[in-house]
Amino acid sequence: MEFNDLHPKVVLGIAAHPDDLDFGASGTLARFAAEGADVYYLILTDGSKGTEDRTLTSEQLVEIRENEQRAAVEAIGGKGVAFLGYPDGGLLVTLELKEKIAREIRRVKPDVVITMDPSMLYSARRGFINHPDHRAAGQAALDAVFPLARDHLTFPNLLKEGLEPHKTGTVLLTNFDDANFYVDITDTIDTKQAALRAHASQIADMDGTLGWITKNAEETGAKAGMRYAEAFVRIDIR
Ligand SMILES: [Zn+2]
């Protein structure tokens, strides 16, 4: 599947924490924005636990991370970002969360949703366990895309708010191991780096991290004949 067969007018990225979308998909989000799409981010948690700095309170960290995420969205040419503010580390797949995501989907009407692959539980080969917030975010986002945002009888209060049902055409799941879709980000790798630079509170060794990200994009690209790439599981919803 080619990137060029996707021409979204609106793209919505949905993720657990400020920085998730920028690590996993900001080269692609920047490319969509550069090609004229309105790109929005929806961040589900408040990011209040992501620090080793014991002088910072959670409240201070929330504000820092929201500002970092706003700066990253600006860097990729995005239109805006909304924060649902659930406590970091405790995200649960609830109907309340799904309704809030469905509200945003019905509000911005994305052609493409980018979110985290909830089937990624762990990778023994890579030696990591996927963050439970990432799994919950992906699960709730998929459920909101289908069927909850689509059916008018679901969440009748959304209809009362004037939010009509919406069908999203394509979902891209960030998944490093089982991709079926590669996006050439050679023209936006610099923008991806700029988006990541915005997350200074999360990246202790900025040069090291950007080096690792670039190498990863190069290795991903090598699988698809591209210089730099991001990889996804793509689902076109029929
Ligand atoms: Zn995260």
Side-chain angles (χ1 to χ4, degrees):
M1 286 183 280
E2 295 291 323
F3 181 83
N4 293 340
D5 68 355
L6 280 180
H7 297 287
K9 291 192 179 70
V10 182
V11 177
L12 176 62
I14 303 170
H17 311 113
D19 81 9
D20 289 338
L21 287 166
D22 299 310
F23 273 103
S26 58
T28 301
L29 289 159
R31 204 173 149 187
F32 281 132
E35 293 180 8
D38 291 344
V39 175
Y40 297 93
Y41 282 33
L42 177 63
I43 306 301
L44 307 184
T45 79
D46 61 9
S48 57
K49 306 293 192 292
T51 188
E52 290 176 5
D53 182 346
R54 297 196 181 192
T55 67
L56 274 182
T57 65
S58 272
E59 291 74 21
Q60 290 168 324
L61 185 60
V62 169
E63 194 181 331
I64 289 167
R65 296 196 67 185
E66 285 190 357
N67 286 334
E68 289 176 345
Q69 183 64 95
R70 286 193 189 93
V73 170
E74 199 168 310
I76 65 109
K79 288 273 177 188
V81 50
F83 300 93
L84 293 188
Y86 284 89
D88 188 356
L91 195 65
L92 295 175
V93 184
T94 63
L95 203 56
E96 180 198 77
L97 173 62
K98 293 178 193 181
E99 178 176 348
K100 288 182 177 175
I101 298 172
R103 174 180 282 110
E104 189 69 2
I105 289 171
R106 290 193 187 187
R107 200 176 67 78
V108 307
K109 304 186 189 321
D111 309 296
V112 172
V113 163
I114 298 184
T115 191
M116 317 182 89
D117 189 336
S119 73
M120 180 63 96
L121 180 56
Y122 60 84
S123 170
R125 186 169 62 80
R126 292 173 184 271
F128 94 107
I129 298 169
N130 196 11
H131 195 298
D133 288 352
H134 294 172
R135 283 184 270 132
Q139 180 73 62
L142 278 184
D143 295 354
V145 165
F146 179 90
L148 302 175
R150 185 202 61 169
D151 294 339
H152 77 280
L153 291 174
T154 307
F155 305 136
N157 51 316
L158 295 186
L159 208 52
K160 279 187 207 144
E161 291 172 27
L163 297 169
E164 290 291 326
H166 177 73
K167 283 185 192 173
T168 300
T170 296
V171 175
L172 300 180
L173 299 173
T174 52
N175 179 314
F176 308 108
D177 284 340
D178 291 315
N180 67 358
F181 184 59
Y182 293 84
V183 176
D184 190 327
I185 61 162
T186 305
D187 291 342
T188 54
I189 185 87
D190 292 347
T191 311
K192 177 169 186 148
Q193 291 183 349
L196 287 167
R197 275 186 202 284
H199 296 285
S201 78
Q202 299 304 299
I203 303 175
D205 174 10
M206 187 60 76
D207 288 343
T209 300
L210 295 181
W212 168 81
I213 282 289
T214 304
K215 186 164 172 281
N216 193 60
E218 206 174 340
E219 286 170 6
T220 305
K223 294 179 192 166
M226 300 163 182
R227 183 157 178 225
Y228 297 113
E230 286 172 344
F232 302 92
V233 174
R234 172 173 166 177
I235 309 165
D236 293 311
I237 302 170
R238 295 192 190 97

